[in-house]
Amino acid sequence: MGNCHTVGPNEALVVSGGCCGADSKKMVIGGWAWAWCLVTDVQRLSLEVMTLNPKCESVETKEGVPLTVTGVAQVKVMTDQQLLATALEQFLGKSVHHIGQVILQTMEGHLRAILGTLTVEQIYQDRDQFARLVREVASPDVGRMGIEILSFTIKDVFDNVDYLASLGRAQTAAVKRDADIGVAEANRDAGIREAECEKLRMDTKYQCDTQIADHSREYQMKKAGFDMEINAKKAESELAYELEAARVQQQIRNEEIEIDIVERRKQIAVEEKEILRRDKELIATVKRPAEAEAYRVETIAQGKRTETVESARAGAERIRLVGGAEASAIEAIGKAEAERMRQKAAAYKQYGNAAITALVLEALPKIAAEVAAPLAKTDEMILLGGDDRTTSEVTRLLGQLPPAVQALTGVDLSQVFKQVSGAK
């Protein structure tokens, strides 16, 4: 049994060992390999770029000046089969940090050795040459480890004895001196050249102004001659134009007069036609409607007069007939009322007091209803006093009823009640 192992392009896969004591090894980059269990060993080595920061502190140069130099190096394991095998022999199973430390120490040793062979000016002023020299010296040693230096640059150079600062001040002063001298010389040369240019400019300007004046004078003379000819031709053309314009204007005026005459004639004819039209319009809109209105008013007045006469006649006849009918009705009612009163008188005369008593008894309920009408609107009756006098008050009211009836009708109710009781 075994396993299939895969690896990316940034790693190297090493399969070693095998069955029956085999001692071969297989290197795979960006692929896969089969490994048997228990009899093969699988290891990996990183091929990625490693960034190193070599630093040499207080290293004396050729002149004995202590300098501190820091750099940046980019290194990686080479992928050539032979060089890769060399790298695997030395670094397989080691961590990336361990590999970086080995290469870093190697490069720092070469950097110290080279610093001792150069002056401060060579190191400081030509850093590219210094870095290239370090890379050329260190490449063979690290190459024998299977490592390739991709790049190496000097990051910083400084010292603790102010040698670089003093060198910089001296160089700065020299540069400033040379610069001031150069500026003064340049200003001098510029002034001389500017004066020469100004002289040449003024000479050229005066020469050009003279030529411009000559050409301007010739131009003005020729222009004056041309203007004279042009003005003469222009005067002739203007005179001819004015004469032609006057003639044309006279023709236009004559035509306008003819047009006015024709327009007035046409206007007179139109006004005559308008007068005839207005006469016909007045006849149609005023005279004819007035005659029709007079005829209509006369006819309406005749009809109203006839209507009034007939209406008066009909009203008089209606009043006569209504009066006769009302008189007949009043006469019949009077006769019926007289007959009813005669019969009632005869009955009263026949029955005497009994009839009167019957009439009084018939009228008593009506009298009681009229007396009780105000009391029907009373919600509550309160009798003032300490004792209950309801019975005595009712008795008193009933006792006052016969005298009141006798005063109203002349009939004594007590006598009537006695006659009724005797009859029974």
Side-chain angles (χ1 to χ4, degrees):
M1 298 297 292
N3 293 322
C4 182
H5 297 270
T6 60
V7 68
N10 62 335
E11 285 184 323
L13 181 68
V14 180
V15 180
S16 59
C19 298
C20 301
D23 58 353
S24 63
K25 62 177 181 284
K26 182 179 181 180
M27 297 179 293
V28 179
I29 299 175
W32 63 277
W34 178 266
W36 296 98
C37 294
L38 302 177
V39 296
T40 56
D41 185 22
V42 178
Q43 292 179 305
R44 299 171 184 266
L45 180 65
S46 176
L47 302 179
E48 294 180 350
V49 176
M50 293 176 286
T51 301
L52 306 177
N53 294 304
K55 182 177 182 181
C56 297
E57 296 181 354
S58 301
V59 179
E60 292 184 358
T61 63
K62 183 179 179 180
E63 297 173 344
V65 179
L67 292 180
T68 299
V69 179
T70 59
V72 178
Q74 308 291 338
V75 298
K76 69 181 292 294
V77 177
M78 290 185 283
T79 57
D80 182 77
Q81 291 295 323
Q82 184 177 359
L83 297 174
L84 178 60
T86 303
L88 292 174
E89 290 176 0
Q90 300 184 36
F91 299 114
L92 188 61
K94 304 296 183 179
S95 64
V96 176
H97 177 70
H98 177 77
I99 298 172
Q101 288 297 319
V102 172
I103 301 172
L104 179 61
Q105 292 176 6
T106 303
M107 293 190 68
E108 286 180 351
H110 288 290
L111 183 59
R112 286 176 179 272
I114 295 172
L115 282 173
T117 62
L118 298 176
T119 63
V120 177
E121 287 78 4
Q122 291 174 339
I123 297 171
Y124 187 77
Q125 294 177 358
D126 196 355
R127 295 189 180 188
D128 292 338
Q129 179 65 26
F130 174 51
R132 184 167 55 254
L133 183 60
V134 173
R135 187 167 57 250
E136 291 176 354
V137 173
S139 292
D141 290 342
V142 297
R144 284 190 290 271
M145 302 178 190
I147 303 299
E148 178 185 6
I149 300 176
L150 300 177
S151 67
F152 178 80
T153 57
I154 300 300
K155 184 177 180 181
D156 193 10
V157 177
F158 61 93
D159 67 312
N160 296 325
V161 295
D162 295 334
Y163 182 86
L164 293 175
S166 300
L167 182 63
R169 284 195 295 270
Q171 291 180 352
T172 301
V175 170
K176 286 184 177 180
R177 180 198 60 201
D178 295 340
D180 293 339
I181 294 172
V183 170
E185 292 177 352
N187 291 333
R188 180 198 62 193
D189 295 340
I192 295 171
R193 184 60 180 167
E194 183 178 356
E196 293 176 353
C197 293
E198 181 65 21
K199 179 178 178 299
L200 179 61
R201 185 185 70 82
M202 294 301 294
D203 294 340
T204 305
K205 180 178 179 298
Y206 293 148
Q207 185 179 359
C208 292
D209 291 342
T210 303
Q211 294 179 358
I212 290 171
D214 293 339
H215 291 298
S216 177
R217 179 176 56 79
E218 294 178 0
Y219 167 75
Q220 293 295 334
M221 292 177 64
K222 291 181 179 180
K223 183 175 181 295
F226 295 151
D227 289 340
M228 291 177 61
E229 296 178 0
I230 291 171
N231 291 331
K233 296 295 182 180
K234 184 182 293 185
E236 293 177 359
S237 62
E238 288 179 355
L239 181 59
Y241 172 77
E242 290 177 359
L243 293 175
E244 184 65 21
R247 186 178 62 81
V248 172
Q249 188 67 26
Q250 185 63 34
Q251 291 180 357
I252 292 172
R253 182 58 182 165
N254 294 334
E255 295 294 333
E256 288 178 352
I257 293 171
E258 292 294 332
I259 291 171
D260 290 338
I261 293 171
V262 172
E263 287 180 352
R264 289 180 182 179
R265 289 176 181 175
K266 295 294 182 180
Q267 187 174 3
I268 292 170
V270 169
E271 289 178 354
E272 291 176 355
K273 296 292 183 181
E274 182 67 18
I275 292 170
L276 294 176
R277 186 189 67 78
R278 288 184 179 179
D279 290 341
K280 293 181 180 180
E281 182 179 0
L282 289 174
I283 292 172
T285 58
V286 179
K287 183 177 180 180
R288 299 303 182 192
E291 293 177 353
E293 183 66 19
Y295 178 74
R296 185 181 69 81
V297 171
E298 182 180 359
T299 304
I300 291 173
Q302 185 67 27
K304 286 185 177 181
R305 183 178 63 78
T306 304
E307 181 182 1
T308 303
V309 172
E310 295 297 329
S311 177
R313 291 176 181 176
E317 183 64 20
R318 183 180 64 78
I319 293 170
R320 186 180 64 77
L321 294 175
V322 170
E326 289 179 353
S328 299
I330 293 171
E331 183 181 2
I333 291 170
K335 289 180 179 181
E337 186 67 24
E339 181 63 22
R340 186 178 67 80
M341 294 298 292
R342 187 183 62 75
Q343 292 179 0
K344 185 182 289 187
Y348 289 164
K349 184 177 181 181
Q350 181 179 358
Y351 294 102
N353 292 331
I356 294 172
T357 301
L359 290 174
V360 171
L361 293 176
E362 290 178 359
L364 282 178
K366 295 181 179 179
I367 294 172
E370 293 296 331
V371 172
L375 296 177
K377 299 179 180 180
T378 304
D379 295 333
E380 184 179 0
M381 183 180 293
I382 299 173
L383 297 176
L384 301 176
D387 299 331
D388 187 3
R389 297 183 299 172
T390 304
T391 304
S392 60
E393 290 296 330
V394 173
T395 303
R396 186 176 62 79
L397 288 175
L398 293 176
Q400 294 178 358
L401 185 60
V405 172
Q406 185 176 1
L408 293 173
T409 63
V411 178
D412 189 1
L413 290 179
S414 59
Q415 295 296 327
V416 172
F417 289 152
K418 288 180 180 180
Q419 292 178 2
V420 172
S421 300
K424 290 181 179 181

